Amino acid sequence: MIGFYLFLVFEKFLMLLPKKLRRSIFIGIGFLAYKLSKRYNTVVRQNLQFIYGKDIDEEFIQKTAKYSFKLLALNFLHTIESRYYSIETLAEKITFENEDVVKKAQGQGRPIVFITSHYGAWELGGAMISALQEPLMIVYKRMKNTYFQNYLLTAREKARINYVERAGATRGLLKQLKSGGAIALLIDTNVNKKEAISVDFLGKKTSQIKTTAYFARKFDAAIIPVLIHTNDDEKYTIKFYDEIIPPKTEDETQDIQVSTQMQTDWLSQEILKKPEPWFWLHRRFKDDYPEVYEK
């Protein structure tokens, strides 16, 4: 509790600083973490070697690791700034691409399942989509520190984001879609095999959530992929990709398999096209390939 209140004091001090200086501080924090965190540098290396092979270029590993820590720091900075700045101010750094795909689904009165990833400035991306395009419901995992959990959740409320706790989230998500609303789900997290199906992800057989495919089929929801991109980590483009339209036959099990693979193919393609912004610090494959993370 004391630590949390000390953090709030530090936060207020940070917000008194000029934007450029504040950003430089967080980039510096990310660089310091990159230099000091042997554990997570190892995770990045293990992930990259698993996907690209043991002979992967060392320079690429270091570049990706360094950027992963920087992204984590900047995502936290975006969370802090969202508590102080108006939506209009935050939106000054945002451009939307291919938003007609969202407007089409809205015009048809269909619920939307946004599929996304821990890619780039995902905290900022989710907030801007919910505030400026379609109010979202997201799933969160309960944190041990309730003070910081409430801090994160309240930071998102300004952007019209509703949230439901991961344990028992299905009921809330179903209600949201049944009412014609939108949900946003991350499809790149490590999942329990009992809740998933096997698909090819980044060239590896991997357990993947099937929830998005099931919900879309049940409610005739539009599956719209979305990622946030940047060239300079200052101005951002939120790109909506074309709707994924899976088959709908009498074989529901097979249709869900195909739909989930289609979603994973999209994400794999985007990550392999520009891998650095993906969250390589995460032990994504630990349940399917625990040997990857053995020292």
Side-chain angles (χ1 to χ4, degrees), residues 41-96:
N41 270 288
T42 299
V43 171
V44 174
R45 178 181 297 276
Q46 290 166 331
N47 280 327
L48 290 171
Q49 289 181 334
F50 179 58
I51 298 302
Y52 290 96
K54 294 291 184 180
D55 58 346
I56 184 174
D57 181 65
E58 180 65 24
E59 183 180 350
F60 176 60
I61 293 176
Q62 295 304 319
K63 178 183 176 183
T64 302
K66 182 178 179 180
Y67 193 57
S68 293
F69 283 101
K70 176 183 176 181
L71 277 178
L72 188 60
L74 289 178
N75 266 286
F76 191 45
L77 174 60
H78 292 147
T79 299
I80 291 175
E81 291 180 338
S82 70
R83 289 166 45 85
Y84 289 83
Y85 292 151
S86 67
I87 294 299
E88 292 74 21
T89 298
L90 293 172
E92 291 174 0
K93 62 176 72 175
I94 296 295
T95 300
F96 288 100

Side-chain angles (χ1 to χ4, degrees), residues 196-200 205-208 257 261:
I197 55 179
S198 181
V199 294
D200 290 318
K205 279 290 183 183
T206 310
S207 297
Q208 171 77 22
Q257 176 73 48
Q261 185 62 65

Side-chain angles (χ1 to χ4, degrees), residues 112-115 135-138 172-173 176-177 181-185 215:
I112 300 175
V113 176
F114 289 106
I115 58 170
L136 298 177
M137 174 173 281
I138 64 171
L173 295 173
Q176 176 80 350
L177 292 171
I183 64 174
L185 294 177
F215 285 163

Side-chain angles (χ1 to χ4, degrees), residues 32 37-38 77 81 127 145 148 169 174 178 193 197 227 231 241 256 259 293:
L32 185 63
S37 181
K38 181 179 178 181
L77 174 60
E81 291 180 338
N145 190 314
F148 276 103
L174 288 172
K178 188 175 182 180
K193 290 185 179 181
I197 55 179
L227 289 176
N231 291 321
Y241 296 76
I256 288 176
S259 176
Y293 305 103

